[in-house]
Amino acid sequence: MIEPLETEKLYTACDTEQFSFDTTDQLPDLKEIIGQDRALQALHFGISIQQAGYNLFVLGPTGLGKHTVVREYLEAQSKNRQSPADWVYVNNFERPSQPIAISLPCGHAHIFRDDMQRLVEDLCSAIPNAFETEDYHLRTQEIEDDLKDTIETAFSTLAKEAQAHDIRLLRTPHGFAFAPMKNNEVIKPKDFEKLPEKEQHRIDETMSALEEKLTSILRLQPQWQREARNKVKALNKEIVMFASGHLIDELKNKYRDNKSIQNYLDAVQQDVINNLQDFRGEEMHEQKNASLMEKQTFRRYTVNILVDHADHNGSPVLLEDLPNYANLVGAVEYTAHMGALQTDFSLIKPGALHRANGGYLMVDAIKLLMQPYAWEGLKRALSSQQIKIQSLGQIYSLISTVTLEPEPIPLNIKVVLIGDRILYYLLHAYDPEFKQLFKVAADFDDRLHRSTENQQVYAQMIATLLNRDKLRPFDRPAVARVIEHSARMAGDSEKLSAYVMEIADLLREADHYASFSSQTVVHRENVQQAIDARFFRGDRLRERLHEEINRGTLMIDIEGAKVAQVNGLAVIQLGDSSFAIPSRITATARLGDGDVIDIEREIELGGAIHSKGVFILSAFLGERYAKSRPLSLTASLVFEQSYGLIEGDSASMAELCCLLSALADIPINQGIAMTGSVNQRGEAQAIGGVNEKIEGFFDVCNRRKLSSHQAVLIPTANVKHLMLRHDVIEACRDGKFAVYAYQNVDEAMEILTTKPAEKINTKIEARLIELEEFHQIYAKAGKETSDSDENTKH
């Protein structure tokens, strides 16, 4: 007969004697996370390899400390790398819609911006002063005098020629006119008509010739004025070159190694010449105390600092918390003016790719994928290895607003996506570009082996978390209780949970309860109090279900014995709360054609895995009891009072035992609940949630009354997973409750029925033979009836 498990197997305690410290404040901080060697090796490889496409995807469930580990690792690596270049945008004077990107050594962006501001201030002072010199006024006066002399000489020559022909050149309000003279006086029209016709003809011809010359002079006058203006412009250019040349040359010499700045300063000098009036305006003198660069006139000379690494030591490490399209690749902002939207190069804003360029960018994968077009924008930047700022409206032709097309910036970055495993596998399967751009996967494990060495390191990790959050130190029993709870979280007495976030929460809560009694050290009782309080906070539904079981609303028997009825166990997961409740499973067996009906499946409340379990137990029946003859029965299985989806195969062994009880007509002890999966050979297979299932049935029994006949059956393969509550262990120690481990269906039936497996199997075989005989009798009778009817027809 199989004996209950010893209490030592129900809970693997942490030996406090293995620790050499009294409290955790005697332990040094842990330098790196434990149990993640594979992930750390992948992280090191992905960061160290300098080839395109070797970006990283850090995968694993939430709560493992992936963000913290990756950030600390990247920050450590960044200190050994050179700080990347600064980037600025400046005006493109030839094509203002295409601003120019300029790269400068780290920390020089602000210097260049200040240099440009001083240059404009110096120009605003030097240029007006240069135009106030006596030499400039003399030379401009000379140009004006030359123009005046040229015009006067032309008209004087024409007037003398007219005088020689007794014609006078008159200036009128409407222009110039010629009039004939006689005795140095203008002939009146009446007197002109009295002149001989020949004389009139001569005068008309002469005046016509003079008018042609006058017209020629008038036509040449704008040309002379234009030439004069060109001379003034040339003079102004000469003066501007004289006033600004040494200032700009000084900057060009300072940035002589930067060809882009050299070209830009040449363009600035030409623009100053072309817009000389901006530097000679009277309004400049009215705003001496205001910043010149804030004026609209001089905004085109500002330097828009896109990225400045002056305050960084090493390459940047950036975590983008809101990875939408604009926050990743940058944006061009607009200002409203007179009801219209305006923009220029100074309104270009950087994105996370700009700020992290030359370093590392961390992005939460699910947040990235939830933002429209952000994933496509990131892939486009990584594929082209450049950052091109474009609005979504511009890319997809959604709007027609005039916008900028800033010069793209070269991209050299390591992007680290952090997310769940399912996201990685989905992207890897359905996005071809993902495999090309994220070639390194750093897979964080959620469990680690519970060895003595790892328990020592785990204690050190606990000390590190306590120091980080400035909590009270824990004594050795308290640390041991945290380690034991970690094994319970892992669902395995031989493993420890790697969910650092949950462990940190437990430490904070234990510290909180220790503060009530003004303790300086946290004890084991405080840790247990925190665990119990956390369980109680999520216990409402479990309490309600157990109450209904106790009241008889949900029908569960925990005493007596019944045929074809067994208590199965189901785990319910709601948020952070996980618990189990018993569920009555019943079976029927009757004469039929070998069908095992899964009622849950028939009404579409059974999941695929549950249905698979039923098919397996049906196959087991045929294999064991009907190898050489038909299985002449129809059986049905159902979870009583179940109104939701049934999924999983952890009750398939219970269903099989229930059906065997129906066939053998042997009652099952109702004080025993069981769990376990079955294969076609009748062997018990491990299931999940074994601790919750045992505790769930224990709570139901304890609420009514414990007796020495109540127990739970689990597969032997699940014994190593046991980390039960202490009240369950105490009840087992006192003989009021028991946990049995079984390896196959025969052992399970012996425990459930207290009958030898051989006897049970004999009764089942006899029943199946009986059903087969009935089947043959009815088949023969049916055939005779059919033959008789046929003969009657003939």
Side-chain angles (χ1 to χ4, degrees), residues 475-494:
D475 61 14
R476 282 190 292 176
V479 171
R481 184 66 188 95
V482 173
I483 292 175
E484 292 165 1
H485 182 68
S486 175
R488 172 60 186 263
M489 288 169 54
D492 193 330
S493 64
E494 299 175 358

Side-chain angles (χ1 to χ4, degrees), residues 580-600:
I581 59 170
S583 180
R584 175 181 288 180
I585 299 173
T586 60
T588 63
R590 57 197 179 276
L591 181 63
D593 297 322
D595 296 326
V596 177
I597 300 173
D598 177 10
I599 294 179
E600 310 295 340

Side-chain angles (χ1 to χ4, degrees), residues 193-207:
E193 293 176 356
K194 295 177 181 179
L195 293 174
E197 184 177 347
K198 185 177 180 180
E199 181 65 16
Q200 290 182 18
H201 182 69
R202 183 191 65 80
I203 292 173
D204 288 339
E205 289 181 348
T206 303
M207 290 177 61

Side-chain angles (χ1 to χ4, degrees), residues 181-405:
M181 295 188 306
K182 187 176 182 181
N183 299 325
N184 289 328
E185 292 183 1
V186 176
I187 300 175
K188 296 180 179 179
K190 291 181 179 180
D191 295 335
F192 181 76
E193 293 176 356
K194 295 177 181 179
L195 293 174
E197 184 177 347
K198 185 177 180 180
E199 181 65 16
Q200 290 182 18
H201 182 69
R202 183 191 65 80
I203 292 173
D204 288 339
E205 289 181 348
T206 303
M207 290 177 61
S208 296
L210 292 172
E211 286 176 353
E212 290 180 0
K213 293 183 179 182
L214 175 62
T215 302
S216 178
I217 293 173
L218 293 176
R219 289 177 177 174
L220 288 172
Q221 188 173 349
Q223 179 181 345
W224 296 334
Q225 292 173 341
R226 184 165 56 252
E227 291 175 353
R229 286 196 300 271
N230 289 337
K231 290 180 181 179
V232 172
K233 288 182 179 180
L235 175 60
N236 290 342
K237 181 177 180 180
E238 180 183 340
I239 296 299
V240 171
M241 292 290 290
F242 174 77
S244 65
H246 68 285
L247 297 174
I248 293 179
D249 287 343
E250 182 179 341
L251 267 187
K252 291 176 71 174
N253 183 61
K254 182 176 182 179
Y255 297 98
R256 57 184 175 272
D257 295 330
N258 196 316
K259 186 177 180 180
S260 297
I261 293 182
Q262 296 282 317
N263 296 334
Y264 171 68
L265 291 174
D266 289 338
V268 168
Q269 189 169 33
Q270 186 61 46
D271 188 75
V272 170
I273 295 170
N274 296 338
N275 298 278
L276 177 61
Q277 66 281 0
D278 294 339
F279 294 87
R280 299 181 63 189
E282 294 295 331
E283 64 274 8
M284 284 195 313
H285 302 288
E286 299 174 2
Q287 298 189 15
K288 287 184 178 179
N289 296 327
S291 175
L292 289 172
M293 306 305 272
E294 294 178 0
K295 294 179 58 178
Q296 187 65 31
T297 306
F298 297 108
R299 281 175 64 91
R300 62 182 181 273
Y301 302 118
T302 59
V303 175
N304 180 8
I305 299 179
L306 201 69
V307 181
D308 178 24
H309 297 292
D311 298 330
H312 293 166
N313 181 20
S315 57
V317 177
L318 179 64
L319 172 62
E320 180 53 55
D321 188 56
L322 181 60
N324 59 33
Y325 182 84
N327 287 352
L328 281 177
V329 302
V332 177
E333 295 183 347
Y334 293 84
T335 58
H337 180 70
M338 302 295 289
L341 294 178
Q342 297 180 345
T343 188
D344 59 37
F345 73 97
S346 65
L347 295 177
I348 300 174
K349 302 302 177 183
L353 290 174
H354 294 98
R355 299 194 300 274
N357 197 8
Y360 312 100
L361 174 62
M362 298 169 55
V363 183
D364 192 292
I366 188 64
K367 292 181 180 179
L368 174 67
L369 294 171
M370 289 176 65
Q371 296 295 331
Y373 303 104
W375 174 237
E376 294 299 322
L378 176 62
K379 290 193 297 181
R380 188 181 302 114
L382 293 176
S383 298
S384 63
Q385 297 185 23
Q386 63 179 11
I387 314 170
K388 187 175 183 180
I389 300 178
Q390 291 178 294
S391 68
L392 290 175
Q394 179 184 5
I395 294 174
Y396 297 101
S397 302
L398 301 177
I399 58 175
S400 57
T401 304
V402 176
T403 186
L404 303 180
E405 296 181 8

Side-chain angles (χ1 to χ4, degrees), residues 64 101 336 395 416 442 459 464 545 593 599:
L64 299 180
I395 294 174
V416 182
T464 304
L545 291 172
D593 297 322
I599 294 179

Side-chain angles (χ1 to χ4, degrees), residues 57-61 66 417-421 424-425 441-444:
F57 194 108
V58 177
L59 57 151
K66 301 188 297 296
L417 293 183
I418 303 176
D420 291 335
R421 293 188 177 97
Y424 174 80
Y425 297 132
D443 193 351
F444 274 67

